[in-house]
C-alpha cells in the first residue's frame, strides 16, 4: 500500500520540471553514495578530499608564515599585537604593556610599507585566497555534471572521472610549485605555473559544461 501511494504521488507530480528532478536525483546520489563500493565514482570523492585537504594545508601554512614574518620583522598589524610582543620579549607580564609604539614594536600603518619578506608572505597568502574559490567552484561543477550524466547515462562516467581526477591533481601540484617559485623568487616559472593552473581550471569547467550539455540533450 505504501509503495502504491508513493507511486501515485510521484505520478501526480508535474512533468515540466526535468531540471529539478535531475538536480534532486544528483543530490541524492551524492548524499547517499557508499564510499566503500567499488564503483569508480567513489574514487572521485576520494580525489576531491585529498585535493581540498592539500590546498587547505598549504593555505594554513601560508597564514602561519605571515605571523612568523611579522614576529621576525617586529612589524604588527594592530597595536595590541605589538604590545603583546613587547611584553613577551621583555618581562613577559601584561602589566608591562605600553602604548608607546616605539617601545612596543612597529605598528603597520594603513598604506605603509611592510618589510619585503612580510610583504611577500602576505601576497602569497592572498593569492591562495583568491584562487581557492575558483578551484572549489570548478570542482563542484564537475561533481554535479558527472552526477547528472550518471543519472541520465549520457556519457562514460569512468572516462569522465579519470579526466577530472587528472585535471584536479595536476592543478594542486601546480599550485604547490607556484608557491615554491613565489617563495624562492623564481621567474618565469612562477608565472608559467599560474597560467598552467588557470588553463587546467578552464579545461575542467569546459569539460563539465560539455558533460552537462550532453546529459541535458539526452533527457529531452
Amino acid at each position: 500500500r505504501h509503495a502504491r501511494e508513493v507511486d501515485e504521488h510521484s505520478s501526480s507530480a508535474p512533468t515540466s520540471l526535468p531540471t529539478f528532478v535531475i538536480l534532486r536525483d544528483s543530490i541524492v546520489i551524492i548524499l547517499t553514495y557508499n564510499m566503500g563500493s567499488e564503483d569508480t565514482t567513489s574514487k572521485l570523492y576520494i580525489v576531491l578530499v585529498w585535493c581540498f585537504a592539500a590546498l587547505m594545508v598549504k593555505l594554513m601554512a601560508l597564514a602561519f608564515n605571515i605571523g612568523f614574518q611579522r614576529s621576525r620583522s617586529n612589524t604588527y598589524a594592530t597595536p595590541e599585537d605589538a604590545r603583546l610582543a613587547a611584553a613577551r620579549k621583555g618581562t613577559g607580564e601584561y602589566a608591562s604593556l605600553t602604548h608607546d609604539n616605539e617601545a612596543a614594536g612597529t605598528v603597520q600603518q594603513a598604506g605603509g610599507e611592510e618589510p619585503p619578506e612580510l610583504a611577500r608572505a602576505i601576497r602569497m597568502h592572498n593569492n591562495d585566497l583568491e584562487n581557492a574559490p575558483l578551484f572549489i567552484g570548478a570542482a563542484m561543477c564537475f561533481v554535479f555534471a558527472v552526477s547528472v550524466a550518471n543519472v541520465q547515462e549520457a556519457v562514460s562516467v569512468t572516462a569522465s572521472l579519470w579526466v577530472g581526477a587528472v585535471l584536479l591533481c595536476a592543478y594542486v601540484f601546480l599550485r604547490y610549485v607556484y608557491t615554491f617559485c613565489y617563495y624562492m623568487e623564481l621567474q618565469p616559472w612562477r608565472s608559467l605555473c599560474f597560467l598552467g593552473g588557470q588553463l587546467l581550471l578552464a579545461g575542467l569547467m569546459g569539460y563539465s559544461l560539455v558533460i552537462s550539455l550532453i546529459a541535458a540533450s539526452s533527457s529531452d
Side-chain angles (χ1 to χ4, degrees):
R1 179 182 177 182
H2 177 70
R4 184 166 58 255
E5 291 177 354
V6 172
D7 183 68
E8 293 174 356
H9 176 73
S10 60
S11 62
S12 63
T15 59
S16 59
L17 297 175
T19 304
F20 169 77
V21 174
I22 293 174
L23 181 60
R24 180 200 63 191
D25 294 341
S26 302
I27 294 175
V28 169
I29 287 177
I30 293 174
L31 294 180
T32 62
Y33 194 84
N34 182 11
M35 294 297 292
S37 68
E38 296 297 328
D39 193 283
T40 313
T41 312
S42 63
K43 298 178 181 179
L44 173 62
Y45 300 139
I46 295 174
V47 170
L48 280 176
V49 168
W50 281 97
C51 288
F52 285 142
L55 292 178
M56 285 189 293
V57 166
K58 185 164 74 74
L59 185 60
M60 288 187 293
L62 291 176
F64 280 111
N65 185 45
I66 293 178
F68 171 75
Q69 294 298 338
R70 287 195 180 279
S71 177
R72 182 182 180 185
S73 62
N74 200 33
T75 304
Y76 302 96
T78 61
E80 59 270 21
D81 292 341
R83 294 195 298 270
L84 179 60
R88 288 177 175 176
K89 294 178 181 179
T91 62
E93 297 177 359
Y94 287 94
S96 66
L97 296 183
T98 174
H99 291 272
D100 183 2
N101 290 343
E102 294 183 358
T106 304
V107 177
Q108 181 63 41
Q109 301 296 327
E113 293 185 1
E114 299 97 348
E117 295 81 5
L118 174 59
R120 181 172 294 274
I122 294 175
R123 290 196 301 270
M124 291 167 60
H125 185 255
N126 288 340
N127 185 270
D128 261 29
L129 289 176
E130 294 167 358
N131 284 272
L134 299 178
F135 175 77
I136 295 174
M140 290 297 98
C141 285
F142 178 73
V143 169
F144 281 107
V146 171
S147 300
V148 171
N150 190 27
V151 171
Q152 298 297 323
E153 298 181 353
V155 297
S156 173
V157 176
T158 301
S160 300
L161 293 178
W162 276 109
V163 172
V166 169
L167 293 176
L168 292 170
C169 293
Y171 176 82
V172 173
F173 174 76
L174 282 183
R175 288 303 302 174
Y176 267 83
V177 177
Y178 172 86
T179 301
F180 174 78
C181 292
Y182 209 145
Y183 186 80
M184 300 299 296
E185 305 180 19
L186 299 177
Q187 279 284 33
W189 309 113
R190 184 187 57 154
S191 297
L192 291 176
C193 289
F194 178 81
L195 177 61
Q198 298 304 304
L199 291 177
L200 288 173
L201 288 184
L204 186 64
M205 284 295 300
Y207 192 68
S208 302
L209 290 176
V210 170
I211 293 176
S212 62
L213 289 175
I214 294 175
S217 61
S218 65
S219 64
D220 295 338

